[in-house]
Amino acid sequence: MSLNPLEIKGLVDSTPDKSLLINLAGFYAKRQLPEKGVDSEVVYDCPRSQVMIRTAVKGTQIGAHFHTVSDEAVIIVGGRGELFINGEWQPVKQGDVHVCPRGIIHDTRALMENLQYLSIFTPHLPPGTDINWVK
């Protein structure tokens, strides 16, 4: 059963108008990773939120930063790494979830193996970037 989103009373925004199902193992199996850095693809994009499937390649540290507009939820789906949370490096592995409100400094590093994760931003990242680097 499906309803037309435009017919639902009180629904302000009906973009996108379809649900999404992704098999992460299949998604990751098809990716060609860079030698270093972060591979990232936006898989869901709407005015209210944005979802990215990402891999921090072994040997990568993103760099300390914060977001001014968006909160970020990070869900670790494979590998191991470390997240800089509340001023400390914390080990992370599959099944861990980090919720980082805007304005909070955080970082990601994958020193020993690739780290696979989802980043969910809400509200949607603004045009350009919402990364504010901390030195």
Side-chain angles (χ1 to χ4, degrees), residues 10 13 17 33 38 41 46 48 52 54 74 77 87 102 118:
D13 177 353
D17 63 354
L33 297 177
V38 177
E41 182 174 327
C46 80
R48 298 166 309 284
M52 297 178 186
R54 309 173 109 174
V74 175
V77 297
R102 67 184 178 156
L118 307 177

Side-chain angles (χ1 to χ4, degrees), residues 23-31 53-55 77 116-118:
N23 177 279
L24 289 175
F27 178 91
Y28 282 119
K30 295 177 185 174
R31 298 299 287 182
I53 300 178
R54 309 173 109 174
T55 300
V77 297
Q116 298 172 323
Y117 60 102
L118 307 177

Side-chain angles (χ1 to χ4, degrees), residues 3-94:
L3 297 172
N4 180 341
L6 297 176
E7 295 173 358
I8 300 173
K9 191 171 189 163
L11 186 62
V12 175
D13 177 353
S14 61
T15 305
D17 63 354
K18 295 194 184 329
S19 296
L20 175 68
L21 176 65
I22 297 172
N23 177 279
L24 289 175
F27 178 91
Y28 282 119
K30 295 177 185 174
R31 298 299 287 182
Q32 181 68 36
L33 297 177
E35 288 187 30
K36 60 187 280 188
V38 177
D39 177 67
S40 184
E41 182 174 327
V42 175
V43 295
Y44 181 81
D45 206 20
C46 80
R48 298 166 309 284
S49 61
Q50 189 173 52
V51 178
M52 297 178 186
I53 300 178
R54 309 173 109 174
T55 300
V57 176
K58 177 183 174 181
T60 295
Q61 180 170 340
I62 293 174
H65 65 282
F66 63 93
H67 306 285
T68 55
V69 174
S70 302
D71 298 332
E72 181 180 8
V74 175
I75 303 168
I76 308 301
V77 297
R80 294 181 183 274
E82 295 178 307
L83 298 180
F84 189 72
I85 302 170
N86 299 324
E88 295 181 22
W89 285 104
Q90 301 288 328
V92 292
K93 63 185 179 332
Q94 183 177 358

